[in-house]
Amino acid sequence: MTSKIIQDDKAGQEYWNNTWNDYSLPPAWDVDSNKITKHVEREFFLWIKETLEYFGKTGRNVELVEVGCARSQVLPILASQLGVSVSGIDYSPNGCEQARMMLDREGINGNIFCHDIFSIPEDLKRKFDVVISFGLIEHFSDTKEIVQSISELLKPGGIILTSLPNMNGTVGFFQKTLNRSIYDIHVPLTPDQVRVAHEASGLDVIETEYFLSTNFGIVNLGSPNKTNPTWWVKKITLAVLTRFSMAAWWAERKNIKLSARGSFSPYINCVARKP
């Protein structure tokens, strides 16, 4: 029988397996670096850290799971800097193996489970204090259903941190322009739609907002085709856009405040709590 997740996932298991096969293991997030190229990692880490501290969800007694954890760059740093016990769930065997390799390389103990999120084993339901996901829910045609499935992992009183790319803004425009096939595996969502999906899943939404002023670095050209002149034009275009984002981050370091607006903001972040 074809699993529910494969039916509903606009990308599909084969896409993710091929994606994780195409690249070597990345470094874990370097949130202590002052390099401008680490700006996004630092800001995401601060968002997670401040949220977990606010709700008292740090320390070894806190069980945190990342859904869609394939070769996770964030689990090692959350374990080492916030002291939480980490786990991950993904349905890509390749992605799960690489997530285990990332934890082993960084000397972190953790559990990686290879499961369909729509068929969670009973022993994982209501097990976790914190659930996080990055770039996951927008790949499913029924947003409420995927959020509801993820929320089954949470204990009562647990919190869920959801982040997804803003495909309704300029990031989505350039993704559609530079590689339409990758754009098409996303469902463009607004903050209101994200909030409604969480509320419809029985969660109390704390905040749903745009996050960061810019990051064209998340636009994905797909697999390189260096013999195609068009690919090089697209690569140069993306390089220019990425430098624009870096210039904006540099301005923010100089206390020139740039707000996270719907048109330019690259992400939508949501924090919700399970009653």
Side-chain angles (χ1 to χ4, degrees):
M1 178 184 294
T2 303
S3 70
K4 168 64 180 173
I5 193 169
I6 293 175
Q7 290 176 343
D8 198 46
D9 186 349
K10 291 172 71 68
Q13 189 178 41
E14 183 178 357
Y15 171 86
W16 294 117
N17 277 333
N18 291 337
T19 295
W20 308 134
N21 277 340
D22 281 346
Y23 303 99
S24 58
L25 288 182
W29 280 5
D30 185 359
V31 298
D32 295 321
S33 172
N34 287 321
K35 292 180 179 178
I36 199 70
T37 53
K38 304 298 182 182
H39 176 80
V40 175
E41 295 177 9
R42 289 196 305 271
E43 292 300 312
F44 262 114
F45 175 73
L46 286 174
W47 172 62
I48 298 169
K49 178 177 182 290
E50 290 170 1
T51 303
L52 267 57
E53 288 178 344
Y54 178 82
F55 286 98
K57 303 293 186 182
T58 59
R60 285 297 170 195
N61 291 328
V62 172
E63 295 277 353
L64 177 148
V65 63
E66 181 183 6
V67 183
C69 71
R71 66 171 188 177
S72 175
Q73 295 175 263
V74 66
L75 287 179
I77 199 69
L78 296 182
S80 63
Q81 296 231 8
L82 302 183
V84 295
S85 298
V86 296
S87 297
I89 296 177
D90 203 286
Y91 79 144
S92 164
N94 297 350
C96 287
E97 181 57 29
Q98 291 189 19
R100 295 185 188 101
M101 292 168 64
M102 291 283 291
L103 291 175
D104 289 344
R105 189 187 67 189
E106 303 298 323
I108 300 296
N109 292 322
N111 297 305
I112 303 298
F113 305 100
C114 196
H115 290 305
D116 179 334
I117 193 62
F118 291 106
S119 301
I120 302 171
E122 286 298 319
D123 61 344
L124 293 182
K125 292 182 179 180
R126 298 170 295 280
K127 173 180 174 61
F128 298 96
D129 303 284
V130 180
V131 174
I132 63 173
S133 69
F134 299 94
L136 175 72
I137 69 169
E138 77 282 1
H139 290 295
F140 293 84
S141 54
D142 191 329
T143 310
K144 177 208 174 247
E145 192 171 19
I146 181 63
V147 173
Q148 190 166 30
S149 293
I150 294 171
S151 69
E152 291 183 4
L153 296 164
L154 277 175
K155 298 176 182 177
I159 59 170
I160 181 169
L161 285 74
T162 306
S163 183
L164 60 148
N166 174 23
M167 285 293 165
N168 285 303
T170 52
V171 163
F173 170 79
F174 283 108
Q175 183 63 73
K176 185 189 300 185
T177 302
L178 298 178
N179 192 319
R180 178 62 188 253
S181 64
I182 290 180
Y183 174 85
D184 286 341
I185 65 174
H186 295 79
V187 176
L189 296 170
T190 66
D192 280 346
Q193 289 172 320
V194 173
R195 174 184 55 78
V196 168
H198 283 71
E199 289 176 343
S201 301
L203 300 167
D204 296 329
V205 175
I206 310 302
E207 64 179 18
T208 307
E209 59 188 7
Y210 291 112
F211 183 69
L212 299 186
S213 60
T214 176
N215 181 19
F216 288 113
I218 64 173
V219 175
N220 189 348
L221 295 181
S223 299
N225 185 358
K226 297 181 180 180
T227 62
N228 187 339
T230 302
W231 183 84
W232 283 104
V233 172
K234 292 179 178 181
K235 183 174 178 62
I236 292 169
T237 300
L238 184 55
V240 171
L241 290 169
T242 302
R243 298 305 185 276
F244 170 85
S245 293
M246 290 182 182
W249 303 336
W250 180 86
E252 290 176 342
R253 283 193 181 185
K254 301 298 181 181
N255 295 319
I256 301 173
K257 183 62 177 176
L258 302 175
S259 61
R261 298 185 182 276
S263 57
F264 274 94
S265 182
Y267 304 103
I268 298 169
N269 283 3
C270 180
V271 178
R273 183 177 179 274
K274 188 170 187 176

